[in-house]
Amino acid sequence: MATHRKAYLEITNRCNLNCAFCPGTDRPPRSLDEGEFTRLAERLAPWAEYLYYHLMGEPTAHPLLPRFIEIAASLGLKSIITTNGTLLSSRGDAIIAALPHKISISLHAFEANAAEINFAQYLDSCLAFASSAAQAGIIVVLRLWNLDGRAEGALHEKNEQILAALHTAFPAEWTQIRSGERLCDGVFLEWGEKFDWPDLTGTCFGETGFCYALRDQIGVLCDGTLVPCCLDRNGALALGNLFEQPLTDILSSPRARAIYDSFTRHICSEPLCQHCMRAQYYR
């Protein structure tokens, strides 16, 4: 099995927040049951090493998430959870007990939901969870993907408060890393600029570009639809259905091969890819 391949398996497209930076989805609400998750994970396991639990939706809102992590581990998949962090106070212990490989907490989710979230309580619960998870051997990444990241003078108004709380929770000297800081063993702070999701009504960047879609990542929506990457929120690039077809058949389909071969030539053959700013990063 090739290493470092990532499969995004959307266990639910429902979310408990309404973040301005997330466009949501036009698809009907749906969540996977245990049998559906197992079937899809079994089909992804020969291809992937890491299993993510979202395209859209909040993974920790799914009551079976700890069980799904256990199933994935039995298949040799390393689970990576990306969460807005709001449910960790009530569901964090069960998630830690299931021992996922890594958990990323999007602290910038607070910005778009300030009216619904008590900031102090939210931050305290996220940092307490990070400390407990790291002690259990789980990698924790605290994300601040907001505005202009950490550019001087461009910090979001809450970032300085967050940084102060982080220094209190993790008082040892921080170590600079490529995308942020290492706060202690197993806990990292990651900075990133806000990005726009690809949308056919948005900016078109042209045909020149490159993406690792179908090379080191694929996505599966909660109805089984397989898409090339984690940013296809509505299945615009649907390649097949993993409930109905073997993964090898889907990846060898004419459309999948055309997308893969076009990216090899640094060409975005699909309109959605031409509207994706991330395809410009590697052009």
Side-chain angles (χ1 to χ4, degrees):
M1 179 183 70
T3 58
H4 306 304
R5 283 177 170 174
K6 303 179 286 290
Y8 290 79
L9 177 52
E10 182 186 73
I11 60 175
T12 181
N13 60 8
R14 299 181 174 98
C15 187
N16 63 320
L17 295 184
N18 184 25
C19 296
F21 54 80
C22 176
T25 178
D26 299 331
R27 294 174 283 125
R30 194 182 192 283
S31 298
L32 296 179
D33 61 31
E34 182 172 335
E36 291 173 328
F37 175 86
T38 301
R39 184 176 178 186
L40 294 174
E42 287 175 342
R43 294 194 167 189
L44 292 169
W47 189 88
E49 180 180 5
Y50 298 100
L51 187 66
Y52 292 70
Y53 289 71
H54 73 285
L55 274 84
M56 290 283 104
E58 169 54 42
T60 64
H62 199 304
L64 293 178
L65 176 59
R67 175 60 182 151
F68 290 171
I69 295 170
E70 294 171 354
I71 293 170
S74 73
L75 297 170
L77 291 164
K78 299 176 182 178
S79 292
I80 299 182
I81 311 300
T82 299
T83 174
N84 59 42
T86 56
L87 301 176
L88 293 177
S89 59
S90 59
R91 303 187 179 184
D93 289 346
I95 294 171
I96 290 173
L99 293 177
H101 175 69
K102 176 181 174 182
I103 298 175
S104 295
I105 305 173
S106 299
L107 296 179
H108 50 278
F110 170 82
E111 298 172 12
N113 299 275
E116 292 79 27
I117 301 175
N118 181 296
F119 177 67
Q121 292 178 2
Y122 166 73
L123 189 56
D124 286 348
S125 67
C126 288
L127 299 189
F129 174 87
S131 180
S132 297
Q135 291 175 22
I138 301 166
I139 299 169
V140 180
V141 176
L142 303 169
R143 289 178 171 176
L144 282 174
W145 289 8
N146 54 2
L147 299 180
D148 295 318
R150 207 182 180 195
E152 186 175 354
L155 290 175
H156 185 272
E157 60 180 320
K158 289 292 186 183
N159 282 12
E160 293 296 353
Q161 292 178 247
I162 292 171
L163 285 173
L166 289 174
H167 278 291
T168 300
F170 305 100
E173 184 176 356
W174 296 0
T175 303
Q176 194 77 27
I177 58 174
R178 180 176 60 85
S179 58
E181 284 88 18
R182 174 186 170 276
L183 310 189
C184 69
D185 288 343
V187 180
F188 302 85
L189 173 62
E190 182 179 85
W191 296 93
E193 294 183 3
K194 179 187 174 186
F195 69 92
D196 294 324
W197 287 70
D199 191 295
L200 294 177
T201 64
T203 301
C204 180
F205 299 98
E207 295 185 0
T208 303
F210 177 79
C211 181
Y212 288 96
L214 301 178
R215 280 175 164 76
D216 79 347
Q217 68 163 293
I218 52 178
V220 182
L221 304 180
C222 54
D223 65 355
T225 299
L226 192 139
V227 295
C229 81
C230 62
L231 296 181
D232 188 358
R233 61 189 178 91
N234 283 320
L237 304 180
L239 301 176
N241 192 291
L242 200 57
F243 280 131
E244 303 166 0
Q245 302 163 268
L247 180 59
T248 52
D249 288 358
I250 297 175
L251 295 181
S252 61
S253 66
R255 190 180 192 186
R257 292 307 311 173
I259 293 171
Y260 184 101
D261 293 342
S262 294
F263 280 136
T264 300
R265 303 192 305 274
H266 286 246
I267 295 173
C268 299
S269 61
E270 294 280 351
L272 188 68
C273 303
Q274 295 167 13
H275 286 76
C276 181
M277 63 186 297
R278 287 194 176 271
Q280 308 306 304
Y281 292 173
Y282 312 104
R283 59 184 297 174

